[in-house]
């Protein structure tokens, strides 16, 4: 019973891993998906309003849209499959690409890819905090340091303050 459960778990992990590998291998070809799509698709009102600063809708779709979506999807896959302690840092470029993609569909904005670094500062702070917390836990586990002892020493009053 236990070995069959382990085999089915291993088979499922192999299938999921294979699917992720195939998606990651094929996804860079999405940079060229715009060439396979028909011309009439690029002449819709959505792409006309998106390409106000470009001469050609196809250029906007290839250069801007697919240059944001493909790296965003690859980063999300990396974030979801990463098993390292520092994986929270991947949230920073994910938020950058997501904000740039959002900015692309914000029709009131006249500039593309400008000012997003200021808006992702909270994401950077939270991500670095989570990463540092994970680093501390890994460091403590490797070196066998008990944080509660250090916290107790910090909490109790020191003699030097009362002299």
């Amino acid at each position: 019973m236990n070995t069959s459960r382990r085999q089915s778990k291993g088979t499922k992990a192999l299938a999921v891993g294979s699917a992720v590998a195939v998606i990651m291998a094929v996804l860079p070809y999405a940079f060229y998906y715009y060439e396979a799509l028909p011309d009439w698709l690029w002449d819709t009102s959505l792409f006309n309003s998106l390409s106000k600063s470009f001469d050609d809708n196809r250029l906007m779709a290839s250069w801007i849209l697919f240059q944001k979506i493909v790296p965003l999807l690859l980063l999300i896959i990396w974030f979801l499959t990463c098993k390292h302690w520092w994986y929270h840092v991947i949230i920073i470029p994910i938020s950058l690409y997501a904000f740039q993609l959002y900015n692309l569909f914000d029709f009131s904005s006249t500039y593309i890819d400008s000012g997003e670094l200021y808006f992702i500062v909270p994401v950077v702070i939270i991500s670095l905090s989570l990463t540092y917390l994970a680093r501390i836990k890994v460091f403590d586990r490797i070196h066998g340091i008990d944080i509660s002892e250090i916290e107790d020493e910090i909490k109790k009053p020191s003699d030097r303050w009362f002299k």
Side-chain angles (χ1 to χ4, degrees):
M1 177 82 177
N2 194 13
T3 57
S4 67
R5 212 182 268 170
R6 214 177 311 166
Q7 286 176 348
S8 68
K9 204 181 248 189
T11 305
K12 184 178 178 182
L14 182 63
V16 169
S18 298
V20 168
V22 168
I23 290 169
M24 289 186 74
V26 173
L27 203 53
Y29 289 103
F31 284 119
Y32 301 103
Y33 285 168
Y34 71 96
E35 292 179 356
L37 297 173
D39 288 334
W40 62 264
L41 179 68
W42 305 117
D43 291 330
T44 61
S45 61
L46 173 68
F47 286 110
N48 284 335
S49 61
L50 284 175
S51 66
K52 55 187 161 197
S53 51
F54 292 96
D55 294 334
D56 185 20
N57 288 355
R58 209 175 256 271
L59 174 66
M60 186 281 310
S62 66
W63 188 250
I64 302 297
L65 190 61
F66 285 108
Q67 297 289 327
K68 304 293 180 219
I69 290 175
V70 172
L72 179 64
L73 291 175
L74 287 170
L75 284 166
I76 289 171
I77 291 171
W78 186 21
F79 177 75
L80 295 175
T81 59
C82 187
K83 294 183 180 176
H84 296 286
W85 61 267
W86 48 264
Y87 75 99
H88 292 100
V89 176
I90 302 171
I91 295 173
I92 297 169
I94 287 174
S95 63
L96 182 70
Y97 277 110
F99 187 77
Q100 288 176 348
L101 196 60
Y102 168 76
N103 223 7
L104 183 64
F105 289 103
D106 182 15
F107 299 119
S108 64
S109 175
T110 57
Y111 299 105
I112 297 173
D113 294 348
S114 64
E116 62 272 352
L117 290 177
Y118 302 114
F119 290 106
I120 66 165
V121 168
V123 174
V124 171
I125 292 170
I126 292 169
S127 175
L128 290 178
S129 300
L130 290 172
T131 303
Y132 189 71
L133 180 67
R135 182 202 168 275
I136 288 173
K137 296 223 179 245
V138 168
F139 185 81
D140 293 342
R141 196 170 273 169
I142 289 173
H143 295 290
I145 299 172
D146 187 14
I147 295 179
S148 61
E149 293 175 7
I150 297 171
E151 288 176 350
D152 291 340
E153 288 295 323
I154 291 173
K155 286 180 183 176
K156 72 178 179 179
S158 174
D159 291 339
R160 64 181 169 182
W161 296 107
F162 296 111
K163 289 184 180 180

